[in-house]
Amino acid sequence: MKPENGENAENGEILTNGDSHIEGFGKNLLILKANDQIKELQTIIRDKTTTRSDFKFYADRLIRLVIEESLNQLPYSECSVVTPTGAIYDGLRYRSGNCGVSIVRSGEAMEQGLRECCRSIRIGKILIESDNETHEAKCIYARFPEDIAQRMVLLMYPIMSTGNTVVKAVEVLKDHGVAEDYIILSNLFCTPQAAHVVTQAFPNMKILTSEIHPHAPNHFGQRYFGTD
Amino acid sequence: MKPENGENAENGEILTNGDSHIEGFGKNLLILKANDQIKELQTIIRDKTTTRSDFKFYADRLIRLVIEESLNQLPYSECSVVTPTGAIYDGLRYRSGNCGVSIVRSGEAMEQGLRECCRSIRIGKILIESDNETHEAKCIYARFPEDIAQRMVLLMYPIMSTGNTVVKAVEVLKDHGVAEDYIILSNLFCTPQAAHVVTQAFPNMKILTSEIHPHAPNHFGQRYFGTD
Amino acid sequence: MKPENGENAENGEILTNGDSHIEGFGKNLLILKANDQIKELQTIIRDKTTTRSDFKFYADRLIRLVIEESLNQLPYSECSVVTPTGAIYDGLRYRSGNCGVSIVRSGEAMEQGLRECCRSIRIGKILIESDNETHEAKCIYARFPEDIAQRMVLLMYPIMSTGNTVVKAVEVLKDHGVAEDYIILSNLFCTPQAAHVVTQAFPNMKILTSEIHPHAPNHFGQRYFGTD
Amino acid sequence: MKPENGENAENGEILTNGDSHIEGFGKNLLILKANDQIKELQTIIRDKTTTRSDFKFYADRLIRLVIEESLNQLPYSECSVVTPTGAIYDGLRYRSGNCGVSIVRSGEAMEQGLRECCRSIRIGKILIESDNETHEAKCIYARFPEDIAQRMVLLMYPIMSTGNTVVKAVEVLKDHGVAEDYIILSNLFCTPQAAHVVTQAFPNMKILTSEIHPHAPNHFGQRYFGTD
């Protein structure tokens, strides 16, 4: 369609592989269906003339859509329920034992969206910074649910340019006993470089994003929160 | 998949035609992609043991997903915006001139979801009741934006059992000068009977729903609002 | 302070009587504490240059404040709870059995505010219109919780100019068995004329408002919903 | 009233001094009007049997009320606006140039409440931790609006037991050029000890709280976020 924009959808469905842009990223990198409404949200977020109020409103909409698709990756069980008229309805039920973890700071923009989908989900937090001298990513703060090793983890980070911060965050989660295939990364914008780094480091982690594009909107956190 | 549940999706994409379950409904009846997370929401709404608080929370989630897909049906224009780094981004922009109209009472449950996607959209309202003697559907109240004839209309009504209420509402909209193909009906649950009635009466109106099933959850309004 | 603006607060507390502006309205008409922040919200709502998006945002804030004060009028019981550290805390608990009723159309703007304070409160609805010939207020639609006669009712209507609509709505509630002193009217703006009409018709009904002023902002519903 | 519960209100108004419980705290420690509805919210938050879902819902309500009162402390200007009918309305307008700063982690629970009152307010963040060896409070992370020295700052921290964390956070703000009387601390629960420490360290900083009580609900962050 518009390969120069990094769109990866041919025909309105979620692509998991076979598209030239995501070739090599493996089967676990999923791109949100690039329909008109999502493209509109991405356009508003990219546009430098968007007001902060509008930026936050439309970013929140895109966040909710990515979160919904991320939740769709969680394991579920078949179940039967009884309706008010006494009929049996064959449905699905998510397995309990999930939690969210946001990477400070921009990942925190996704916490509210997660709460609007999962009312009382536990949400942990992790803060990664680069060492001034060695430039190595270091974890300087982490708060997780006590039993995180038994939970599926929705890791939230909206913008991936290099992938270094996410790589460190996932390492910390694994150090806390979380299995790689128990982590789902919810992301809005991702560069091809970051996609390569993260999928090669953690081939068993699912990744949801709305766009792979050489230039990520790195002003996201600054616009969303209004701070440096 | 589970034809007894009225699911119409084979492979995770939006079906517009060609599926045996919706054959005969025309190309304008669209069913939301029946993935696990949507199936979970439908299950919670069907389940008679769901608390009112949970019912409203999960109904709101399903409503937002249907509203997002409905907005995706609106006409858009290509546009180019400048990003904060000075790059050009080729995107999309929705054309202005839309509004919402909720059918009292259950349609009002969808107003908040529409506002969470379109911040200051105008929302009209229409009240249809059956005449006690003739059983004919009658419009007893309507408030629309003054210039509704020039607008695309998102008509909101979550449960369609017979389709009679919607048929009357669309007639009233047409009497106010709204073209049939300027109306998008946002619906959650629809019976095959209602789908036939409405698509035959208005073949040019787009219809979005999340499920076609012989038994619609008619307790929806009662559970959502807690009133008769 | 600024009597020409209908402010009735001298010193930052809720006035129930004794102030010259509300003399004659009885002890059941309560005016929200007229502090700076409420005055700011009233100013934004009055200002004709306010955008629709801002109008709704600030109206929602004022609505929540009036709703909170209205809930403060509900009956409560003393209770003791045990804290996580095992201490006893002497607190209060509201008695169950409340519901909301919005008067169509502007009263519906207050439904969301009520839900943000009382998660699963039942919300009924009543539609009053003037007869074209006799100009008499008539109820043309009502949906209440089945057991409304046993409930405290929070009646929602933001703008009172003549009071006629509210008088009719209260009569309908009383016809359904609701005692006058079981009704709390939540209102934003009220004229002195309407205050007289309503307090004289129903001296035992509690009324909460944020301002009594000769000119009510009658554009409220039009601005909030964007319709006639 | 119930001095054993740390209530400080005699008569439904905001107390700023003269009450025996807050004697010695100076004129800048303000306690929210202790009415029934606020007492109910405090009771639900204290109660160890409250579900996490209810805990968050009612905590959010109390947070909004404290935030509203905090905003009421901001400086304003008189202004005149023109109403849609052409009348002049003498009102108030807040001066621009405010921002929020939340203290990680529990203070982040108040960010959403602030956004629901001030749509696009900038929100900074500060992380204070105790040194494992010296037990000294240290700032290990801070993100502020670039021009914070020119802004009024709403500092958010819901539970104060010792006051040490807040003292360090205020010191960091002052190091960034924020004047002490430009800081308003929004707090839910405060011990007398913390009230003494903070008011003596910063006599010119305004402090809003809903309760002074010997035992603060230290489980707040754990319950709100579901993490340690």
Side-chain angles (χ1 to χ4, degrees), chain C:
Chain C
M1 282 170 86
K2 295 193 191 65
E4 69 279 15
N5 283 340
E7 282 199 10
N8 294 279
E10 287 285 342
N11 53 5
E13 50 180 301
I14 294 178
L15 297 175
T16 56
N17 55 25
D19 182 278
S20 60
H21 290 274
I22 56 171
E23 207 163 280
F25 295 152
K27 65 174 174 43
N28 281 326
L29 177 67
L30 309 179
I31 303 185
L32 218 66
K33 189 179 66 177
N35 57 23
D36 298 341
Q37 130 242 34
I38 286 177
K39 189 72 188 166
E40 183 214 15
L41 301 177
Q42 293 167 338
T43 304
I44 292 171
I45 291 170
R46 294 275 187 181
D47 186 349
K48 76 170 179 184
T49 67
T50 300
T51 65
R52 277 199 59 240
S53 173
D54 278 350
F55 184 93
K56 185 178 178 307
F57 183 82
Y58 291 100
D60 285 340
R61 254 181 83 187
L62 186 56
I63 286 167
R64 275 201 305 261
L65 291 168
V66 170
I67 294 284
E68 287 282 1
E69 278 299 332
S70 303
L71 295 175
N72 194 34
Q73 308 303 319
L74 293 173
Y76 61 89
S77 318
E78 301 200 349
C79 69
S80 290
V81 299
V82 179
T83 73
T85 60
I88 302 296
Y89 182 85
D90 295 326
L92 293 183
R93 180 171 290 152
Y94 276 94
R95 300 203 198 127
S96 60
N98 309 310
C99 70
V101 169
S102 66
I103 302 179
V104 176
R105 171 136 217 227
S106 52
E108 301 175 299
M110 304 177 76
E111 292 185 5
Q112 182 66 13
L114 180 55
R115 284 220 184 73
E116 285 172 6
C117 294
C118 304
R119 188 147 62 185
S120 15
I121 195 166
R122 292 162 197 274
I123 300 185
K125 176 158 299 197
I126 187 165
L127 172 51
I128 309 287
E129 288 208 312
S130 287
D131 187 278
N132 279 338
E133 294 171 13
T134 66
H135 296 287
E136 196 189 353
K138 293 199 314 180
C139 171
I140 62 171
Y141 176 82
R143 286 289 178 280
F144 299 138
E146 202 178 0
D147 55 352
I148 193 167
Q150 278 77 52
R151 292 177 181 270
M152 296 285 295
V153 176
L154 212 80
L155 183 62
M156 297 176 281
Y157 198 56
I159 311 294
M160 284 202 291
S161 287
T162 66
N164 292 347
T165 297
V166 165
V167 166
K168 185 64 190 173
V170 174
E171 285 171 358
V172 174
L173 286 174
K174 292 175 80 170
D175 290 346
H176 279 76
V178 182
E180 193 176 304
D181 60 355
Y182 266 52
I183 306 173
I184 298 165
L185 173 64
S186 284
N187 169 261
L188 301 184
F189 297 93
C190 182
T191 64
Q193 179 198 349
H196 273 294
V197 166
V198 174
T199 55
Q200 295 202 345
F202 312 111
N204 298 316
M205 174 174 76
K206 279 243 173 78
I207 306 174
L208 265 288
T209 186
S210 89
E211 193 184 62
I212 297 187
H213 188 285
H215 299 104
N218 292 309
H219 64 304
F220 187 91
Q222 198 276 334
R223 293 304 304 282
Y224 194 94
F225 297 107
T227 54
D228 296 332

Side-chain angles (χ1 to χ4, degrees), chain A residues 81-151:
Chain A
V81 298
V82 179
T83 72
T85 60
I88 302 296
Y89 182 86
D90 294 327
L92 293 182
R93 180 171 291 153
Y94 276 95
R95 298 198 200 133
S96 60
N98 309 310
C99 69
V101 170
S102 66
I103 302 178
V104 177
R105 168 137 220 226
S106 53
E108 300 175 301
M110 304 177 76
E111 292 184 6
Q112 182 66 13
L114 180 56
R115 285 221 183 72
E116 285 172 7
C117 294
C118 303
R119 187 146 61 183
S120 14
I121 195 167
R122 292 163 198 274
I123 300 184
K125 175 159 301 196
I126 187 166
L127 171 52
I128 309 287
E129 287 207 313
S130 287
D131 187 278
N132 280 337
E133 294 171 12
T134 66
H135 297 285
E136 195 188 352
K138 293 199 314 180
C139 171
I140 61 171
Y141 177 82
R143 286 290 179 277
F144 299 138
E146 202 179 0
D147 56 351
I148 193 167
Q150 277 77 52
R151 294 177 179 271

Side-chain angles (χ1 to χ4, degrees), chain B residues 34-131:
Chain B
N35 57 24
D36 299 341
Q37 129 242 34
I38 286 177
K39 188 73 186 165
E40 182 215 14
L41 300 178
Q42 293 168 338
T43 304
I44 292 171
I45 290 169
R46 293 277 187 180
D47 187 349
K48 75 172 179 182
T49 67
T50 300
T51 64
R52 278 198 59 239
S53 173
D54 277 351
F55 185 93
K56 186 178 179 304
F57 184 82
Y58 291 100
D60 284 341
R61 253 181 83 187
L62 187 56
I63 285 168
R64 275 202 305 261
L65 292 168
V66 170
I67 293 284
E68 286 281 2
E69 278 300 330
S70 303
L71 295 175
N72 195 33
Q73 308 302 319
L74 293 174
Y76 60 89
S77 317
E78 301 199 350
C79 70
S80 290
V81 298
V82 179
T83 73
T85 60
I88 303 296
Y89 182 86
D90 294 326
L92 294 182
R93 180 171 290 153
Y94 276 95
R95 299 198 198 131
S96 59
N98 309 310
C99 71
V101 169
S102 66
I103 302 179
V104 177
R105 166 136 226 223
S106 53
E108 300 175 298
M110 304 177 76
E111 292 185 6
Q112 181 65 13
L114 179 56
R115 283 220 184 74
E116 285 173 5
C117 295
C118 302
R119 186 147 61 185
S120 15
I121 195 165
R122 292 164 197 274
I123 300 185
K125 176 159 298 196
I126 187 166
L127 171 53
I128 309 288
E129 287 207 312
S130 286
D131 187 278

Side-chain angles (χ1 to χ4, degrees), chain A residues 6 20 64 86 89 120 122 124 137 164 166 193 199:
Chain A
S20 61
R64 275 200 306 260
Y89 182 86
S120 14
R122 292 163 198 274
N164 292 347
V166 165
Q193 179 198 351
T199 56

Side-chain angles (χ1 to χ4, degrees), chain C residues 33 35-38, chain D residues 67-74 94:
Chain C
K33 189 179 66 177
N35 57 23
D36 298 341
Q37 130 242 34
I38 286 177
Chain D
I67 294 283
E68 287 281 2
E69 278 299 332
S70 304
L71 295 175
N72 194 34
Q73 308 303 319
L74 294 174
Y94 275 96

